Amino acid sequence: MTNLVQVCAACGNESADTDPHPRCARCHGLLEIRIPPPPQQGAALRALFDARLAVRRGTLASGVWRFGEIVLPTAGPHILSYPEGNTPLLASAAVAKWVGVNDLVIKHEGHNPTGSFKDRGMTVGVTQARRVGARAVACASTGNTAASLAAYAAAAGLPALVLVPKGQIAAGKLAQALAYGARTLLVRGNFDECLELADQASERLGVYLLNSVNPFRLEGQKTIVLELLQQLAWEPPDWIVLPAGNLGNTAAFGKALEEARGWGLIDRVPRLAAVQAEGAAPFALSFRENFSRPHRVKPHTVATAINIGNPVSYPRAVRAIRYTNGVVTTVTDDAILEAKAVVDRAGIGCEPASAAAVAGAQRLVREGVIRRGEQVVAVLTGHLLKDPESITRADYPNQPVEIDARLDALELALRD
């Protein structure tokens, strides 16, 4: 069996899976994990993963570590798990009608322990931190990564440092980072500046960086796709639509699909649709130019989780879009908030960045890219309560009504 190694996507340099550098030591390029082919493949591998659905305790109860042979087979006794994953596929006729397709299901990653998909990457990232003997972990964040890192670091007994852009993080996410005990620094700058600072700190101070530049994070995030395929009885949908900010999920989804096809878990590959907010759309700009060059923008969007102007996983995400014959599109903040209201009223709920996937699906249907009869999975990345301020805005369609403590006042309010 080939050993698990880290491979630089830029120069091809290989390093051991226990090398703690988050980037290539030779050229500072992005690293990818090369997973050795599992001993079982095809139907036997599907059967192995399906048998673990009955496990209720321990690491195999995790929707990440259930797929351990193709996530981090060398994890051994270092695994740290809540467990995470096992998030639902939800169907809503109201949301499907609004999008304009007959068959829409929603993969809701907001049902993870800290309320976002980040837990899938963080269980692997913190497990790897334990493997390499890290003394502390760090990240830059618009909020969800900070919350997840803080929780998993606390469970592991590791000091955690998080850098967040001042005034650009939702209160719910900041509260989580503080509650879980992370040393939280409010940086007078945007996310991209926070990430540059965190990158420098990892080099100079020796803390283990757990942003999505870390390739082990993406191995955990692959399992969003593996789990939704399993929930669909290994019959791939036509489309997987997801929000796109720092592009870690876009890259991870492409890697998951490439490996799943290569190892016989699926026999065809769904198309990816990455959706960016119009005010933070460097990846979409590059897509329109056939990825001739990366773009960097000054981001501004109500969807704080994807308010990123210089996405670190750009090269890996380009490969994912090309491999899946995918597309990249944009949606306005108004479209995001409208989609969020539709999802919320369906009793599902999500944070604004998640709603970008639903708004993007509607746009692609309207433009004829997605056909009405195709099956679509829209991925919601974060819980409704991650960003409660978006609900209490004066322009949100359902506002509370103040009344006097009298029955006639109550009756009047019900009639309005």
Side-chain angles (χ1 to χ4, degrees), residues 76-284:
H78 301 285
I79 293 175
L80 179 76
S81 174
Y82 262 86
E84 46 292 306
N86 298 308
T87 59
L89 276 184
L90 305 172
S92 167
V95 178
K97 180 180 179 181
W98 186 84
V99 169
V101 294
N102 300 326
D103 189 356
L104 172 79
V105 288
I106 291 168
K107 180 66 169 165
H108 204 329
E109 288 296 296
H111 288 241
N112 271 290
T114 74
S116 85
F117 76 92
K118 303 287 187 178
D119 294 342
R120 290 185 185 263
M122 209 56 70
T123 181
V124 182
V126 173
T127 293
Q128 180 65 9
R130 284 155 59 106
R131 290 186 72 217
V132 302
R135 293 180 297 174
V137 292
C139 73
S141 178
T142 56
N144 283 331
T145 301
S148 185
L149 173 79
Y152 278 80
L158 288 171
L161 170 68
V162 300
L163 287 74
V164 299
K166 183 181 179 182
Q168 300 175 48
I169 176 173
K173 302 171 187 179
L174 179 59
Q176 285 181 290
L178 296 172
Y180 297 136
R183 180 67 168 170
T184 305
L185 304 182
L186 303 177
V187 178
R188 290 186 286 271
N190 61 25
F191 168 80
D192 301 302
E193 292 168 312
C194 289
L195 182 55
E196 289 174 10
L197 189 57
D199 215 349
Q200 294 166 15
S202 72
E203 291 290 333
R204 184 174 301 181
L205 305 179
V207 295
Y208 190 64
L209 186 63
L210 279 173
N211 278 98
S212 58
V213 65
N214 186 306
F216 293 93
R217 276 270 314 273
L218 301 192
E219 293 306 302
Q221 289 164 218
K222 286 190 323 189
T223 62
I224 300 171
V225 167
L226 296 174
E227 189 173 87
L228 75 83
L229 290 171
Q230 185 177 46
Q231 289 168 313
L232 294 172
W234 303 104
E235 288 294 329
D238 297 296
W239 289 89
I240 300 174
V241 187
L242 70 154
N246 216 20
L247 304 183
N249 268 346
T250 306
F253 285 22
K255 191 172 189 291
L257 291 169
E258 192 170 351
E259 292 172 348
R261 176 71 182 272
W263 296 327
L265 288 172
I266 56 175
D267 57 10
R268 62 182 179 86
V269 174
R271 298 178 71 183
L272 292 180
V275 184
Q276 296 206 287
E278 200 170 80
F283 193 50

Side-chain angles (χ1 to χ4, degrees), residues 31 34 95 113:
L31 297 170
R34 182 182 294 161
V95 178

Side-chain angles (χ1 to χ4, degrees), residues 325-384:
N325 189 28
V327 298
V328 186
T329 193
T330 63
V331 288
T332 65
D333 277 5
D334 285 345
I336 287 172
L337 293 175
E338 182 182 357
K340 173 176 163 50
V342 171
V343 173
D344 291 349
R345 285 197 301 268
I348 295 170
C350 65
E351 67 169 319
S354 296
V358 177
Q362 187 202 53
R363 175 175 180 174
L364 292 170
V365 170
R366 200 168 56 236
E367 294 174 347
V369 178
I370 295 176
R371 296 191 294 272
R372 176 176 288 275
E374 293 183 306
Q375 184 181 38
V376 179
V377 177
V379 179
L380 304 184
T381 47
H383 195 277
L384 169 71

